Amino acid sequence: QAFVEYSTCINTCPMLPPKAPLFSALYTERAKVSLRLKKYDAVLQDIALVVYHREDYIDAWLVRFAALHGKEEHETVLEETRNLMQTWGQNETRIRQAYEKADFEVRKAKRPDFYKMLKVSPIASEREIKKAYRVAAKDMHPDRFASATEAERLKAQGDFQTLSQGLEILSDDFQRKLYDEGYDLEEIKERVQAAEQAAHR
């Protein structure tokens, strides 16, 4: 219903100047409705019209970033927010926050999926995780690849190390909490070290 209402407003104002605040507001609000409906391509269409004429309209950019995140195009958001911070957005708090969120999502997307590797649910108990690890470790142990090519052996070693790292993180309540919140392995390591240093003060 809201989408129809905004569309009606837009259609009844065909001569509205593209640089007018009302033009930007109408298209951005309609894009927000599309965003809630997860119609990401429609969002990007409307927002493209807005930022083409008003490049510094932050509300529109934020809606665009949300749609791109919805399409899992986190690296695009990271690149665009970085570009904006190098131009007019360098002192804009919301643009910097959008950059930090994109950086976080990119790191999150690149980290290993330990639950998938272990074939367990994200709500699996520590006992279930350790049991799954024993099963997976047998299948992925480098000794099973003794007659494989060097490339296959190296991959097997890497996969086994990642699996062991997954067990370490998911068996520790603090590290698992950080992992479930989306932190990557480097950030988890840094936070564990910070917590240990704080405990010894």
Side-chain angles (χ1 to χ4, degrees):
Q1 180 64 31
F3 183 89
V4 173
E5 291 176 359
Y6 283 117
S7 296
T8 300
C9 289
I10 290 170
N11 293 333
T12 55
C13 305
M15 302 305 291
L16 191 65
K19 292 187 178 182
L22 181 58
F23 180 97
S24 302
L26 286 173
Y27 276 92
T28 300
E29 290 303 316
R30 186 170 74 170
K32 288 179 181 179
V33 176
S34 296
L35 182 63
R36 290 195 292 272
L37 297 173
K38 297 184 178 182
K39 295 182 177 179
Y40 301 126
D41 289 336
V43 173
L44 298 177
Q45 259 188 335
D46 277 349
I47 295 303
L49 287 172
V50 177
V51 298
Y52 179 78
H53 297 286
R54 289 187 64 190
E55 186 185 4
D56 61 349
Y57 193 59
I58 297 178
D59 284 355
W61 281 107
L62 297 180
V63 175
R64 172 177 169 78
F65 297 153
L68 289 171
H69 281 309
K71 290 166 67 73
E72 297 188 357
E73 295 181 18
H74 311 302
E75 293 199 16
T76 300
V77 181
L78 185 63
E79 180 181 356
E80 291 186 359
T81 51
R82 185 185 291 120
N83 290 339
L84 292 180
M85 287 197 299
Q86 291 174 349
T87 54
W88 59 266
Q90 56 186 327
N91 297 317
E92 295 291 344
T93 300
R94 289 190 292 169
I95 296 297
R96 177 164 294 281
Q97 289 172 338
Y99 168 81
E100 291 171 352
K101 174 178 171 55
D103 183 57
F104 181 86
E105 293 296 340
V106 167
R107 288 169 176 263
K108 180 180 177 181
K110 289 181 176 180
R111 67 185 190 161
D113 187 339
F114 294 136
Y115 293 114
K116 185 176 181 180
M117 289 184 73
L118 291 166
K119 298 179 181 179
V120 297
S121 163
I123 60 172
S125 67
E126 183 178 346
R127 182 179 179 182
E128 290 171 326
I129 288 170
K130 289 182 175 179
K131 181 179 179 181
Y133 170 79
R134 288 193 292 271
V135 173
K138 288 180 181 179
D139 293 335
M140 299 174 66
H141 198 283
D143 288 349
R144 294 189 50 148
F145 298 84
S147 60
T149 65
E150 183 178 359
E152 289 172 335
R153 287 198 303 272
L154 289 174
K155 182 180 183 304
Q157 290 173 3
D159 290 344
F160 189 76
Q161 289 174 353
T162 301
L163 185 71
S164 299
Q165 193 172 33
L167 175 66
E168 178 184 348
I169 288 175
L170 298 184
S171 297
D172 181 274
D173 289 343
F174 180 58
Q175 293 187 67
R176 183 175 181 179
K177 180 176 182 295
L178 293 173
Y179 180 83
D180 288 345
E181 289 175 355
Y183 292 98
D184 69 3
L185 308 188
E186 187 61 32
E187 290 170 317
I188 290 174
K189 181 179 178 181
E190 290 173 359
R191 287 172 181 264
V192 168
Q193 290 176 341
E196 289 175 348
Q197 291 172 357
H200 287 91
R201 286 176 185 169

